[in-house]
Amino acid sequence: MNHEIPVPDITVDGTGLLCVTLLLRLREEVDGAPPGAVVHVIATDPAAPLDLPAWCHMTGHRYLGPVPGGEGPVFALQLAADALPTQADAPWHPATP
């Protein structure tokens, strides 16, 4: 699949972070961002190519894939208007009503 990744509205630098901490930072950085915003996530954790799409699937955000041509591993996603909230201290779990 060959597609262009849009220019980011937000960049989250997760260099050196494990995905647990990266998801905490990502959730904090996108909180309050408008639907449709494109987020580039710099993620050096080897689990990121699995964890980021899984998080997007769980929340309803759109995973756009790896960003080609960067100096490091960068992944893109687009924020959804109807995204499901996650727990503030555990963004890998849906929020409970």
Side-chain angles (χ1 to χ4, degrees):
M1 179 162 110
N2 189 3
H3 63 281
E4 296 232 357
I5 302 288
V7 174
D9 298 300
I10 300 167
T11 299
V12 177
D13 187 355
T15 303
L17 300 179
L18 295 176
C19 273
V20 170
T21 308
L22 173 64
L23 289 177
L24 287 166
R25 180 172 291 174
L26 174 60
R27 184 183 185 282
E28 180 180 304
E29 295 277 338
V30 302
D31 188 35
V38 173
V39 181
H40 284 195
V41 181
I42 304 165
T44 54
D45 186 329
L50 299 173
D51 287 349
L52 289 171
W55 184 79
C56 287
H57 178 75
M58 180 189 73
T59 59
H61 296 302
R62 182 174 169 223
Y63 180 70
L64 302 175
V67 178
E71 291 186 25
V74 179
F75 304 91
L77 57 101
Q78 188 169 34
L79 302 181
D82 57 350
L84 298 175
T86 60
Q87 295 178 15
D89 60 344
W92 49 92
H93 292 293
T96 53

